[in-house]
Amino acid sequence: AKINPDDGTMLWSSLFGGAGDDQVNGVAVDATGRLYLTGFTLPTCTAGTCVPAEIGSSTTALSASNTGKKAFVARVAATGEKLEYFGVLNSDGDTNIGHAIAVDPATSAVVVAGETNTTDKGIPSNVPGYYQVPNARPTDTINNGDAADGFVARINPTGDGYEFFTLLTGLPDAAAVKADRAFGVKLLSADNSVLVVGETNSSNFPTNVTSLAGAPAPAGGTDGFVVRLSANGSNLLAKRYLGGTGYDSARSVIAAADGYYVLGNSAGALTNWNGSGQVGGLSQSALGEQDGFLARFVTASDTPDFWGLIGSGGPDAYYAMAAEVIDIDPVKRPNGRTVLFAGGVSSPNIN
């Protein structure tokens, strides 16, 4: 749906989907007003033809025996009257979900982030990427695989092929089931590198890292994470855990001026943070059962700048964020002032 920003009236609305469950989790808009969507859908396969079709090829193709939830990417015309493309990402698991999407303003390619429990036979064929060995095993009842692996995929401007595909996952643990999920994604305009945030309870996340300076250890339980991938998806440029001893999850990331901001939820203080202290009056002590957290990083170096908690005496959860840069002065404030807008669910008396 598109809403008039002046008076709140609806300009248009539309539905799309199939006979099963369909859900949109992420949306992006390009300069022409076209919408890019991701989420999950249940494809319908009849006589060897599946709708929607897979974007690429893999060892195990989409079929009547390989359905379940499939992550999709779709583009909608600016008028809302036409679906310009609609395809599902390759996988042979039963839970594959797109959680976030970002569009490249220069090419109209899109980057999708989410979670999958595909095996290696569902990985897109002949597509480059940082890491492509899945640890999720949807048919294995032994506790030696992940419940889900995070994924990041870049889809070409016509929506019918991959530019890269990579998994973000830790090594399996024989004593426990692990889960890695990517919830937010953003492209940095300076070099088109890819910021991804999410959650993991893996102690060696992401797999394939031999050393990365400045990366702290996980704090315990499930931690939020932020990683930065190269523009071609083949190299890991930075990674960081964000968490305390309880459940922590990073949900949204946005770039503004010379920094990028991560929004998420935490059961307490971020004990594995090694940046500067409290800034702007945000608390660094738990405010309630669960609080939102906000963290800022310096884009040029990926070094931490500040973090703090947002919440009330009860449970709070934050999921989305937008930014606006105002009050730019070429001499005094060349980067202006960044105003952040966060959305979620909060109890009364937010701090």
Side-chain angles (χ1 to χ4, degrees):
K2 185 173 183 178
I3 308 299
N4 188 325
D6 296 325
D7 58 14
T9 58
M10 185 180 297
L11 299 176
W12 56 259
S13 66
S14 181
L15 297 174
F16 76 94
D21 291 340
D22 307 284
Q23 181 171 301
V24 174
N25 293 326
V27 60
V29 183
D30 67 16
T32 68
R34 294 180 300 187
L35 279 75
Y36 300 80
L37 310 174
T38 192
F40 70 80
T41 187
L42 275 67
T44 300
C45 299
T46 305
T49 300
C50 297
V51 180
E54 284 182 309
I55 291 172
S57 62
S58 54
T59 302
T60 301
L62 186 64
S63 66
S65 60
N66 172 30
T67 53
K69 292 179 180 178
K70 303 296 182 184
F72 74 83
V73 59
R75 186 169 72 196
V76 179
T79 60
E81 296 176 335
K82 180 182 178 182
L83 194 60
E84 296 185 343
Y85 64 69
F86 182 28
V88 295
L89 278 68
N90 296 74
S91 73
D92 62 359
D94 58 3
T95 302
N96 310 274
I97 303 171
H99 288 299
I101 191 167
V103 59
D104 183 343
T107 68
S108 296
V110 295
V111 178
V112 183
E115 63 181 278
T116 179
N117 65 356
T118 190
T119 70
D120 59 342
K121 293 180 174 59
I123 298 295
S125 302
N126 302 314
V127 176
Y130 165 71
Y131 188 76
Q132 296 182 345
V133 180
N135 292 314
R137 298 183 175 94
T139 60
D140 193 341
T141 58
I142 302 174
N143 289 341
N144 62 353
D146 287 1
D149 295 328
F151 76 82
V152 185
R154 183 175 170 109
I155 310 300
N156 67 22
T158 53
D160 58 2
Y162 295 90
E163 296 187 356
F164 71 72
F165 179 91
T166 187
L167 296 172
L168 293 174
T169 180
L171 289 174
D173 184 339
V177 175
K178 301 295 185 177
D180 314 289
R181 298 179 173 94
F183 288 128
V185 66
K186 187 65 63 177
L187 296 176
L188 287 174
S189 59
D191 60 0
N192 236 19
S193 58
V194 184
L195 294 171
V196 188
V197 299
E199 66 182 32
T200 179
N201 62 353
S202 299
S203 59
N204 51 5
F205 176 92
T207 302
N208 209 33
V209 177
T210 54
S211 64
L212 206 58
T222 294
D223 278 12
F225 71 78
V226 54
V227 301
R228 185 172 176 176
L229 295 167
S230 60
N232 63 6
S234 295
N235 297 290
L236 184 72
L237 305 179
K239 77 159 188 174
R240 178 169 293 272
Y241 289 99
L242 295 169
T245 56
Y247 172 77
D248 310 282
S249 179
R251 292 286 178 152
S252 181
V253 59
I254 196 163
D258 61 344
Y260 58 88
Y261 299 81
V262 178
L263 179 73
N265 303 300
S266 176
L270 304 184
T271 57
N272 57 6
W273 180 271
N274 60 0
S276 63
Q278 182 172 324
V279 174
L282 294 178
S283 174
Q284 292 190 341
S285 300
L287 301 167
E289 300 170 39
Q290 176 178 280
D291 301 316
F293 74 76
L294 177 68
R296 185 184 187 276
F297 297 85
V298 179
T299 302
S301 59
D302 296 299
T303 53
D305 188 5
F306 71 80
W307 74 273
L309 299 173
I310 310 167
S312 63
D316 306 280
Y318 292 87
Y319 300 106
M321 179 171 49
E324 182 179 3
V325 178
I326 62 171
D327 201 17
I328 296 175
D329 185 299
V331 177
K332 296 180 179 179
R333 289 179 301 277
N335 292 316
R337 303 179 192 273
T338 301
V339 179
L340 298 175
F341 305 86
V345 179
S346 179
S347 303
N349 304 316
I350 186 172
N351 295 306

